[in-house]
Amino acid sequence: MRRYEVDVPIHHEADQDRRGLHVFTGRAAGPGEALAAAHRAYDRAVQYVSAGLPAPDGSRDGWAARGLRPDWVLDWHKATTKAWVNPNSLM
C-alpha cells in the first residue's frame, strides 16, 4: 500500500474569513480509500474528544486526527488526495 496525503480545507464556524487546511497522512490502496480512511480517523477522534478522552493515536495504516479545533468545520467535499512525498527526502 502507498502512503497518501489528504488535504481538507477548514473554516471557522463563526468567522468564514478564517480559513486553513487540515492534513491527514496514512497508507491506502488508492485515493478513494485514503479519503475514506481520513474521514473515519476524524470521525473517530471527534467521538473520543467529545467523550472527554484523548484522540486515538491511529490505526495500523497510520490514519489519525490530531489538533482538533472545536470551532472549525472541515469541508470534506473540497478535500484533495494525492500520493504523499516525504519533504525530508527532497534534499
Side-chain angles (χ1 to χ4, degrees), residues 54-70:
D57 285 338
S59 61
R60 66 179 173 42
D61 56 9
W63 296 99
R66 291 282 188 233
L68 300 179
R69 298 177 178 181

Side-chain angles (χ1 to χ4, degrees), residues 2 7-8 11 13 21 37 54 62 65 68-69 78 86-87:
R2 185 176 204 169
D7 299 330
V8 186
H11 66 271
E13 65 185 15
L21 192 66
L68 300 179
R69 298 177 178 181
K78 295 179 183 177
N86 181 349

Side-chain angles (χ1 to χ4, degrees), residues 2-8 21-36 38 63 78-87 90:
R2 185 176 204 169
R3 184 169 292 278
Y4 284 88
E5 174 180 325
V6 178
D7 299 330
V8 186
L21 192 66
H22 199 105
V23 179
F24 299 85
T25 62
R27 297 198 179 281
E33 184 179 304
L35 179 60
W63 296 99
K78 295 179 183 177
T80 59
T81 304
K82 61 186 173 190
W84 184 72
V85 176
N86 181 349
L90 295 177

Side-chain angles (χ1 to χ4, degrees), residues 2-55:
R2 185 176 204 169
R3 184 169 292 278
Y4 284 88
E5 174 180 325
V6 178
D7 299 330
V8 186
I10 60 175
H11 66 271
H12 191 272
E13 65 185 15
D15 182 358
Q16 295 288 318
D17 290 332
R18 293 175 62 193
R19 299 190 167 277
L21 192 66
H22 199 105
V23 179
F24 299 85
T25 62
R27 297 198 179 281
E33 184 179 304
L35 179 60
H39 207 311
R40 280 192 307 273
Y42 176 76
D43 290 344
R44 185 172 176 223
V46 167
Q47 287 177 336
Y48 273 66
V49 171
S50 295
L53 302 170

